[in-house]
Amino acid sequence: MRTPVPSSPTGLDNLTVGEQLRIDRLPLRLAQMMTGLTGFGLSLALLLESGLGGAPWDVLHAALAAHLHLSVGTVSIALSFVLLLLWIPLRERVGIGTVANSIWVGASLDLGMWLLPEARTLPAALAMMALAVVINGVSAAVYIGAQLGAGPRDGLMTGLGRVLRRPVGPVRIALEVLVLLTGWALGGPLGLGTVVYALGLGPIIQLALPHVTMPVRSVRGREVSAAASVR
């Protein structure tokens, strides 16, 4: 008898790499994933270029980058692989999107820092900050919703949400605040944008995720539960 693919309280399926390679609509999922990852990395750069602070993780990345004389994106990539160790007790599965996230977000962040201009005025800075937070939250939901595996940081969010049976919004806020305090202690770029990002990102992801999640209708070789197929 074939075992149904289990669904989770977050509305996401925790699939193995093998199952992801046999999932329905794989090319479309890959395109959605890369679109989300690109928007995510560029929006992180947009927030930094606003001059109003960085995302909580980038407060930490920027602080480490300054001490190590590396780019923010390079530190982001290196830390991504370190964070994967924290997935072990959460039983979170490394997927196609996990590897892509670990590498491409940092690369697109550095690309954005090179392409995007710094804010010259306060109104421009505020507009860049607001746009960055919205794009980042929607982009995060887009690549998570492709169901090809969460990134290292979002795997902590979805993994804790599943284990604790809590919405991803509050879980994300708690993680962002913890990272923010660590980055601030190391001298990272804390500002208004950091606070807005930390408080606003979780709710944006929570609102956007149901609209961009691509349900798992079939995985070759496995049966999908009826509950999962109608989400």
Side-chain angles (χ1 to χ4, degrees), residues 30-68:
L30 289 171
Q32 176 173 324
M33 177 192 72
M34 292 308 298
T35 298
L37 291 177
T38 302
F40 193 87
L42 292 176
S43 62
L44 291 177
L46 182 63
L47 183 59
L48 286 171
E49 293 289 58
S50 75
L52 296 178
W57 281 103
D58 286 336
V59 173
L60 177 60
H61 296 155
L64 292 175
H67 288 294
L68 299 174

Side-chain angles (χ1 to χ4, degrees), residues 125-218:
L126 291 172
M128 290 171 67
M129 176 194 70
L131 186 61
V133 173
V134 172
I135 293 176
N136 195 271
V138 173
S139 296
V142 166
Y143 75 72
I144 293 172
Q147 305 232 51
L148 293 177
R153 295 154 188 79
D154 295 294
L156 292 180
M157 175 185 69
T158 57
L160 287 171
R162 180 168 50 251
V163 171
L164 301 176
R165 304 188 72 85
R166 293 290 185 271
V168 295
V171 171
R172 181 75 184 217
I173 290 175
L175 288 174
E176 299 290 350
V177 170
L178 177 61
V179 171
L180 168 62
L181 293 176
T182 303
W184 174 72
L186 293 174
L190 175 65
L192 174 63
T194 311
V195 178
V196 173
Y197 185 100
L199 296 178
L201 190 66
I204 293 173
I205 295 175
Q206 188 172 334
L207 287 172
L209 195 55
H211 303 287
V212 296
T213 297
M214 193 178 300
V216 178
R217 298 199 177 103
S218 66

Side-chain angles (χ1 to χ4, degrees), residues 5 14-23 93 219 222:
V5 176
N14 194 22
L15 305 176
T16 65
V17 175
E19 289 168 340
Q20 290 171 14
L21 291 173
R22 304 192 309 273
I23 200 172
R93 293 167 173 168
V219 177
R222 291 190 70 178

